[in-house]
Amino acid sequence: MTPAEHRARFDPKRYASITMEFRCNLRCEHCMIEGTMDRLHPGRRQDFEALLARNRAERRWHGLILTGSEITLHRDLPELARRAHQSGFRHVRIQTHGMHLAKADYLARLVDAGVDEFFVSVAGSDAASHDRITTVRGSFDKTLRGLENLEQYPHVVSLTNTVVTERSYRLLPDVVERLAHLKRLVQMEFWAYWPMREDDAKDLIPRHQDVLPYLRRAIERCRAHGREIEIKNFPACLLGTDAHLVYNDQPNLFIDPAFWDEFMRNGFYQCVHRERCAASECLGLNTAYIRKYGHEATALTPLAEDPAARRWGEPPAVKRA
Ligand code: SF4
């Protein structure tokens, strides 16, 4: 797959995502929905069927993402995947901590039901760091075994996500190296943490400029291993020629509407240079970040060209002051 083909296939705009489960058996310290999990309602079976029917009629998305807090805790996951596949979704993805993929027979059921994309959260670079962040002993070993179990299925792919926090940012290059042996792993994502509130109550937000050297090394290592890279919620201008790796689009998310009240508390898109900057994909800073570190006006630089164009191989759109 060429980089252009890869980006076209995995473009979030081509996916719908539905939350079908709000339980989780990890307690990650960076969990963005930990305060809302008990209140939010998962999608009902009729919501799920309505989404399938809509896509049958409109042919709007080529992939469906089954998600939640931890979707593998949903008893009927294989059946949901099979229904999605049969109803015409070309790709069925699960978003998961990956631990249950360590059970080979369970994984075989998911693959047999049509799941062909596995989006797996990797919190740290080894058992000690990962388990410290997930707060569950043994979680790294299971997640890694799950990712390794995918290797036997040539038609499936995995993508990973690492949340970038004060506790994890120094680990990023090592995370890439620890997963270097995985042949099915096609994309690694790095999401700068946002707390779903107006302050950083857990002291997890690192300063972007402290993260930068580690993120650069992780990008370098990903390239050396032939991985595509996606970065979310990080100022594009800090990345220089890699600014186009910032891509904040998300799939169409079907979730309890109460989620959005919490999400809006983040206050994204704050940047003193916003009016003069051409970076269409950049979320700027959020309220909690600004409360902790200020607006960082001198560290950020408005861009004259939209780096997102480079992502799609188009001539860059120029912003005139
Ligand atoms: S100047 Fe602001 S909006 Fe522009 S890329 Fe930097 S952080 Fe994003």
Side-chain angles (χ1 to χ4, degrees), residues 235-238 271-274 277-279 282-285 300-303:
C237 56
L238 291 181
C271 173
V272 293
H273 305 300
R274 171 63 65 190
C277 183
C282 186
L283 297 181
L285 304 179
L300 306 177
T301 317
L303 300 179

Side-chain angles (χ1 to χ4, degrees), residues 46-67:
Q46 60 260 45
D47 304 322
F48 176 76
E49 291 296 336
L51 180 56
L52 300 190
R54 180 173 168 188
N55 202 46
R56 265 198 309 273
E58 298 176 10
R59 293 282 161 208
R60 184 166 167 191
W61 304 286
H62 81 161
L64 180 68
I65 302 171
L66 295 164
T67 184

Side-chain angles (χ1 to χ4, degrees), residues 172-283:
L172 299 181
D174 293 339
V175 172
V176 179
E177 282 308 307
R178 188 64 189 86
L179 306 181
H181 61 299
L182 299 174
K183 295 188 181 59
R184 307 266 82 85
L185 175 56
V186 294
Q187 177 161 303
M188 298 189 75
E189 301 192 8
F190 305 100
W191 293 22
Y193 168 75
W194 59 83
M196 300 280 264
R197 50 187 289 154
E198 298 82 357
D199 56 16
D200 185 19
K202 294 203 276 185
D203 198 20
L204 284 177
I205 301 180
R207 192 185 287 277
H208 290 315
Q209 280 175 298
D210 292 338
V211 173
L212 189 58
Y214 296 91
L215 191 53
R216 281 194 193 289
R217 284 220 294 283
I219 293 169
E220 221 172 79
R221 300 316 303 152
C222 278
R223 290 206 170 109
H225 296 303
R227 317 281 195 228
E228 290 292 325
I229 304 147
E230 208 159 282
I231 297 167
K232 296 200 188 291
N233 190 32
F234 195 83
C237 56
L238 291 181
L239 284 163
T241 54
D242 287 324
H244 63 290
L245 298 178
V246 173
Y247 192 57
N248 286 305
D249 251 2
Q250 294 281 3
N252 249 144
L253 176 60
F254 293 84
I255 190 169
D256 185 335
F259 168 82
W260 297 112
D261 299 335
E262 302 292 328
F263 185 80
M264 294 312 285
R265 294 175 65 187
N266 288 304
F268 289 121
Y269 292 108
Q270 301 181 59
C271 173
V272 293
H273 305 300
R274 171 63 65 190
E275 292 305 311
R276 291 186 296 127
C277 183
S280 63
E281 273 297 323
C282 186
L283 297 181

